[in-house]
């Protein structure tokens, strides 16, 4: 099969790789209908996160079950499935607590699983999915136009939702979203879905501002730093925000997010902490700034988000503003790296 | 009047100081019935927190209103009042959000207020209380035996409650309390009051273990570090705690608290961050460890805690295991510093 490899920062290639096989009775093989490039893939692409050896890339995909292991019960050959960005068994204490990304049997795409068996990346034609019963979420076989929306549930929409939930965004709360990437934009949509009536998106890019507004942002703030704080305070009548979503993962974005949080407010963060966001304990302590979030347990959120997507209540698909064939994965990375695209969908 | 001064680490003296006067129409003068020494006073006493100049000490007291300014409406001469450990106006956006310790008109005992006017310390005979209407909570004139319990509402019981609330302790949750000082013990009592059925107190001191048990702890863990984590995991059937209260404020105690929090669990911290507790963002992110807390907005909590105290539902008074006359304030500090006493009550 064809699949995407990262050899070094900036060096992405699509190559012939071995077809995956069922290696354990709880595996499924999924034929990928669509996958995409994640903002977190760029940390590696840009050399901010180290790459020890060439790596199979991609952790977001939807597709059709092609083969199942002998113990798989909930997925059947031919099912259309959404794969959350981590594989979890659904039965361990962590999964029962809803934190599927801390599963005792966790497996990550593009890396070896806990048994040392290789798990394919999502940016390829086929993927061996461990813990298939716990991981894959079945969806009705979609119209082609529905595929991008379903694909967002694999990561960005679930992650934006996690930021919103972690920030306690909802009815009666004022919200600021720091980050106008696909996750930040999905954070706006998630806060809107949860009932927040005032949602301020911090964005300097016209096309992203437009999408934020379409997703439910009531205000756009282009200023950053102290000026951004002053602008938020002005928009909110002299106070800062009840709920702040940090959707980038840099020290600067975390500082900005904390600076717009009101005393006693809630910061939800989902930006992968590359580049080192720091948490200044003195500031947190003095003003009772509360911090929640982390790796989004996407698997736990997909059922409710899927129901709303199928009902037409939410449509995160516009975060994909470029679609390319899998063979052009290198161009997909470059387009996102250069911010020519918000998020690129890849079709094998 | 007589009042307590700290001249240098370890150098505490009771001296003649000027009687306070009404300086603003929103002030009240309170005659102190009882005050006490706080764990946070020890940071200064031990030289961990810098002392630029001699300082009036004490921020926890109950007493009787002796005089009021012309604009004070809710307190009357002769009222018995509880003074939360910070003075707040009760009407600014921060107070309306319940975060009275971030009040726009905040004043701290033993320091100048925002107008540059001196505010007395609580460890003395009289105190000028700014923002009297927003700050003081009236209580029925107590029997002498009730005074220690009422005094805990000024700080330690409210702070333990804030730790428990911040950690989402309550029905169906497993709780670990790190710290067996007066605040940690009150945290146990608060978690019990909120309905937690499993409360593990980490303590190595027999008398404090006994009090923790009396306050509702179901288990005591004497081990620390990795052994402490293993013991908590064993007690909780293989998982870590849903809710963890960090009631010390050192790097070690914060690390211990994080280490016993389950993925997706909630850490509530109220230990004044002297000695530098740190928040390792990578650990928080990977396991969705959520962190809330800070300076307890005691004023917001006193009414409900007072009602429960008066109803006999809670009695935090045993945290006072030594009572001394005000003149022996130096001995009170020494006894707490040397851990000969959990908390010392001072009577002018």
């Amino acid at each position: 099969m064809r699949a995407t490899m990262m050899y070094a920062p900036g060096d992405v290639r699509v190559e012939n790789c071995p077809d995956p096989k069922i290696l354990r009775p709880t595996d499924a093989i999924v034929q990928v209908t669509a996958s995409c490039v994640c903002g977190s893939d760029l940390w590696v692409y840009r050399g901010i996160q180290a790459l020890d050896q060439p790596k199979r890339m991609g952790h977001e995909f939807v597709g059709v079950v092609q083969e199942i292991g002998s113990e798989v019960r909930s997925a059947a050959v031919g099912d259309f499935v959404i794969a959350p960005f981590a594989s979890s068994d659904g039965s361990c204490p962590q999964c029962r607590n809803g934190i599927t990304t801390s599963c005792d049997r966790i497996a990550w795409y593009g890396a070896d699983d806990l048994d040392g068996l290789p798990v394919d990346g999502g940016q390829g034609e086929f993927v061996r999915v461990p813990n298939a019963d716990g991981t894959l979420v079945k969806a009705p076989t979609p119209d082609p136009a529905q595929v991008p929306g379903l694909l967002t549930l694999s990561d960005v929409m679930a992650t934006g939702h996690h930021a919103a939930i972690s920030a306690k965004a909802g009815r009666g709360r004022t919200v600021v979203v720091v980050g106008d990437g696909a996750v930040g934009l999905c954070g706006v949509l998630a806060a809107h879905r949860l009932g927040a009536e005032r949602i301020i998106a911090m964005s300097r890019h016209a096309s992203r501002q437009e999408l934020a507004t379409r997703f439910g942002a009531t205000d756009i703030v282009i200023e950053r730093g102290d000026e951004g704080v002053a602008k938020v305070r002005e928009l909110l009548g002299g106070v800062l925000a009840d709920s702040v979503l940090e959707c980038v993962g840099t020290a600067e974005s975390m500082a900005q997010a904390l600076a717009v949080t009101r005393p006693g407010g809630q910061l939800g963060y989902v930006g992968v902490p590359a580049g080192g966001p720091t948490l200044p304990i003195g500031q947190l302590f003095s003003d009772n700034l509360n911090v929640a979030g982390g790796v989004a347990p996407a698997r736990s959120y997909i059922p409710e988000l899927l129901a709303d997507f199928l009902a037409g209540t939410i449509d995160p698909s516009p975060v994909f503003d470029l679609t390319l064939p899998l063979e052009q994965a290198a161009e997909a990375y470059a387009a996102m790296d250069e911010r020519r695209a918000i998020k690129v969908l890849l079709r094998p």
Side-chain angles (χ1 to χ4, degrees), chain A residues 20-22 27-31 64-67 126-129:
Chain A
K21 292 185 167 45
I22 296 287
D27 289 348
I29 305 296
V30 173
Q31 178 169 20
V64 177
V65 176
Q66 212 200 27
E67 193 183 347
F126 297 94
V127 176
R128 178 179 78 89
V129 177

Side-chain angles (χ1 to χ4, degrees), chain A residues 225-236 240 256 260:
Chain A
D226 291 345
E227 287 177 30
V229 175
K231 189 72 192 179
V232 167
R233 195 190 296 274
E234 181 194 323
L235 285 170
L236 297 180
L240 295 171
Q256 182 75 76
V260 296

